[in-house]
Amino acid sequence: QGDVFTYDPGFTSTASCESTITFIDGDKGELLHRGYPIDQLAEKSHFLEVCYLLLYGELPTAAQLEDFESRVTNHTMIHEQMHNFFRGFRRDAHPMATMVGVVGAMSAFYHDSTDIADPWQREVASIRLIAKMPTIAAMAYKYSIGQPFVYPRNDLDYASNFLRMCFSVPAEEYHVDPVLSRAMDRIFTLHADHEQNASTSTVRLASSSGANPFACIAAGIACLWGPAHGGANQACLEMLREIGTVDRIPEYIARAKDKDDPFRLMGFGHRVYKNFDPRAKVMKKSADEVLDLLGIENNPTLQVAKELEKVATEDEYFIEKKLYPNVDFYSGIILDAMGFPTSMFTPIFALSRTVGWISQWKEMLTDPTQRIGRPRQLYTGAPYRDYVEVEDR
Ligand code: SDX
């Protein structure tokens, strides 16, 4: 619990916690949620069932799943007064800015689920956050494009509800294609949790002070926004578009290798996976299915992505550095094909990861040995010295 290792520049944090939720083997490219491999969950399960697994530790019975899905479905609306929050932002605000603000403000509207010492309130906060995140993300999108908000419907599944809230307009109902809904649900599942990544560690650290769950999840959203973390899916698609054609790939490969060039190949590399990211394999298959359905299998961005993946993974430098496509490499292509702007890619990641943040938050709060987080440092500054008057400096 927070053992301080002897300082090693290559190891920049203390061992922070024990957890039973997610296991990653970076060398084998293995990702397990409560013991179940991610590729099986992505193929055979669906997001709300994975939410139940992450939150409660076991796959639900049919009755447990029905009850859980009903509780989530019946919490998807947000307090009507919260609509004013969206209108306080500039139209061109990034949807992540809106999400950080609105989620952080939820404690002002749902103060009957902010007492983290009360197990019932923790449960209600968990359900509310999982249920309302798609509504908030969709409203952030609608506000950014000047369209009216679309209310959630109880007769739609989680992914279909989100797509409809994003793409329906009063003049024309959006009919969700089951292939797109399945692909959306799979993206949610693939992003649900990932052990002690930067944003999850942020949520744990914020929660260790006793802050309310909504403020802690807002802190996680803020951390996820960065291009090295959850912002990579937006940065990756923008990079693929900038490359534009396969004949320009060598130029970008050379830049990624150039020590003096800060450019990095977005969607490549990982803090833990030093072989391949199992989520990227599933995402690649999903990208093919979606683009086939939409008849854009010749999508130039996808062609550049496939050729870039081939060239980079056969390149000595990337092999030596163990740089392979990660979860963000293909997700942007799918979301772009669905009609989302790049600014919505990270909000969708945040929507998915909320269950992971909440599961880790609950685990931490129920650990009696857990204390306030206090990462240590190695001080390398000036030694003790007395104050010097300004005239003597
Ligand atoms: C996510 O932690 C998680 O679990 C995160 C995540 C999750 O689900 O929560 O998996 C989601 O954040 C995935 C990562 C998304 N980010 C990107 O795709 C941005 C591009 N990737 C890089 O910024 C980078 O790979 C990181 C931030 C992901 C990891 O950085 P590290 O830990 O510094 O990578 P490394 O130690 O493996 O790097 C080894 C070498 C370094 O060079 P040297 O110092 O040895 O000379 O490879 C270089 C790095 O500079 N390198 C890259 C590179 N990534 C690392 N060079 C070119 N392009 C890249 N993408």
Side-chain angles (χ1 to χ4, degrees), residues 105-181:
M106 285 176 74
S107 58
F109 291 87
Y110 299 104
H111 29 69
D112 61 345
S113 54
T114 52
D115 177 2
I116 60 169
D118 177 344
W120 181 84
Q121 291 201 30
R122 289 203 299 266
E123 182 64 18
V124 172
S126 305
I127 296 293
R128 276 179 166 150
L129 278 158
I130 293 167
K132 297 180 193 310
M133 212 50 101
T135 308
I136 291 167
M139 289 174 76
Y141 171 53
K142 284 302 208 184
Y143 183 71
S144 72
I145 58 175
Q147 288 186 0
F149 298 140
V150 175
Y151 285 80
R153 273 183 21 194
N154 289 359
D155 60 327
L156 296 175
D157 64 68
Y158 194 85
S160 301
N161 218 356
F162 174 65
L163 288 169
R164 181 183 167 274
M165 287 190 282
C166 289
F167 296 130
S168 248
V169 287
E172 188 175 351
E173 181 63 25
Y174 175 78
H175 295 291
V176 186
D177 184 296
V179 172
L180 296 188
S181 174

Side-chain angles (χ1 to χ4, degrees), residues 25-230:
D25 182 323
D27 293 326
K28 283 195 212 155
E30 189 175 53
L31 166 56
L32 308 179
H33 287 322
R34 304 286 193 181
Y36 295 98
I38 189 63
D39 53 335
Q40 290 185 28
L41 291 173
E43 289 305 319
K44 298 177 178 177
S45 185
H46 64 277
F47 182 63
L48 282 187
E49 184 176 74
V50 172
C51 286
Y52 186 99
L53 175 65
L54 290 170
L55 285 167
Y56 307 115
E58 297 296 336
L59 287 171
T61 63
Q64 288 168 330
L65 182 59
E66 186 184 352
D67 168 63
F68 179 74
E69 291 187 337
S70 162
R71 284 192 289 143
V72 170
T73 301
N74 287 291
H75 276 88
T76 49
M77 267 208 319
I78 66 170
H79 192 294
E80 196 68 9
Q81 256 194 302
M82 288 188 78
H83 290 210
N84 304 328
F85 256 95
F86 289 86
R87 297 189 177 95
F89 286 87
R90 278 177 47 139
R91 274 281 181 224
D92 56 359
H94 194 292
M96 284 297 277
T98 315
M99 287 188 78
V100 169
V102 171
V103 173
M106 285 176 74
S107 58
F109 291 87
Y110 299 104
H111 29 69
D112 61 345
S113 54
T114 52
D115 177 2
I116 60 169
D118 177 344
W120 181 84
Q121 291 201 30
R122 289 203 299 266
E123 182 64 18
V124 172
S126 305
I127 296 293
R128 276 179 166 150
L129 278 158
I130 293 167
K132 297 180 193 310
M133 212 50 101
T135 308
I136 291 167
M139 289 174 76
Y141 171 53
K142 284 302 208 184
Y143 183 71
S144 72
I145 58 175
Q147 288 186 0
F149 298 140
V150 175
Y151 285 80
R153 273 183 21 194
N154 289 359
D155 60 327
L156 296 175
D157 64 68
Y158 194 85
S160 301
N161 218 356
F162 174 65
L163 288 169
R164 181 183 167 274
M165 287 190 282
C166 289
F167 296 130
S168 248
V169 287
E172 188 175 351
E173 181 63 25
Y174 175 78
H175 295 291
V176 186
D177 184 296
V179 172
L180 296 188
S181 174
R182 181 76 188 115
M184 187 81 259
D185 188 271
R186 195 176 286 138
I187 284 179
F188 292 159
T189 296
L190 292 171
H191 288 84
D193 188 53
H194 211 239
E195 201 223 65
Q196 304 313 314
N197 56 85
S199 53
T200 298
S201 302
T202 300
V203 171
R204 277 182 173 258
L205 200 54
S207 308
S208 71
S209 74
N212 76 72
F214 305 108
C216 296
I217 297 301
I221 295 172
C223 175
L224 186 76
W225 196 353
H229 189 12

Side-chain angles (χ1 to χ4, degrees), residues 112-360:
D112 61 345
S113 54
T114 52
D115 177 2
I116 60 169
D118 177 344
W120 181 84
Q121 291 201 30
R122 289 203 299 266
E123 182 64 18
V124 172
S126 305
I127 296 293
R128 276 179 166 150
L129 278 158
I130 293 167
K132 297 180 193 310
M133 212 50 101
T135 308
I136 291 167
M139 289 174 76
Y141 171 53
K142 284 302 208 184
Y143 183 71
S144 72
I145 58 175
Q147 288 186 0
F149 298 140
V150 175
Y151 285 80
R153 273 183 21 194
N154 289 359
D155 60 327
L156 296 175
D157 64 68
Y158 194 85
S160 301
N161 218 356
F162 174 65
L163 288 169
R164 181 183 167 274
M165 287 190 282
C166 289
F167 296 130
S168 248
V169 287
E172 188 175 351
E173 181 63 25
Y174 175 78
H175 295 291
V176 186
D177 184 296
V179 172
L180 296 188
S181 174
R182 181 76 188 115
M184 187 81 259
D185 188 271
R186 195 176 286 138
I187 284 179
F188 292 159
T189 296
L190 292 171
H191 288 84
D193 188 53
H194 211 239
E195 201 223 65
Q196 304 313 314
N197 56 85
S199 53
T200 298
S201 302
T202 300
V203 171
R204 277 182 173 258
L205 200 54
S207 308
S208 71
S209 74
N212 76 72
F214 305 108
C216 296
I217 297 301
I221 295 172
C223 175
L224 186 76
W225 196 353
H229 189 12
N233 50 20
Q234 173 172 352
C236 179
L237 192 86
E238 287 164 357
M239 174 193 74
L240 293 172
R241 281 191 178 141
E242 185 189 316
I243 294 173
T245 53
V246 295
D247 61 319
R248 295 189 66 208
I249 287 174
E251 170 195 337
Y252 284 81
I253 293 281
R255 284 189 56 196
K257 294 181 189 176
D258 179 353
K259 279 275 161 253
D260 299 326
D261 188 331
F263 171 75
R264 285 192 164 182
L265 280 184
M266 292 288 112
F268 275 79
H270 199 275
R271 212 70 190 83
V272 178
Y273 290 123
K274 298 307 172 191
N275 199 326
F276 63 90
D277 183 338
R279 301 168 297 176
K281 291 175 82 168
V282 180
M283 204 69 90
K284 179 176 178 178
K285 185 165 163 270
S286 212
D288 285 333
E289 285 170 9
V290 168
L291 295 175
D292 264 353
L293 170 89
L294 298 175
I296 43 176
E297 59 276 12
N298 300 318
N299 172 318
T301 308
L302 182 66
Q303 304 315 322
V304 169
K306 287 189 168 178
E307 182 62 17
L308 176 61
E309 180 189 17
K310 181 174 176 301
V311 171
T313 49
E314 291 168 1
D315 183 288
E316 280 309 308
Y317 174 87
F318 288 93
I319 294 169
E320 183 218 328
K321 299 283 184 189
K322 299 182 184 300
L323 300 177
Y324 299 89
N326 57 43
V327 68
D328 296 300
F329 187 68
Y330 281 102
S331 58
I333 292 164
I334 299 172
L335 296 173
D336 174 57
M338 286 179 172
F340 287 105
T342 54
S343 60
M344 276 302 290
F345 292 5
T346 310
I348 289 169
F349 193 152
L351 180 174
S352 315
R353 186 53 56 88
T354 295
V355 64
W357 291 331
I358 283 288
S359 303
Q360 305 256 358

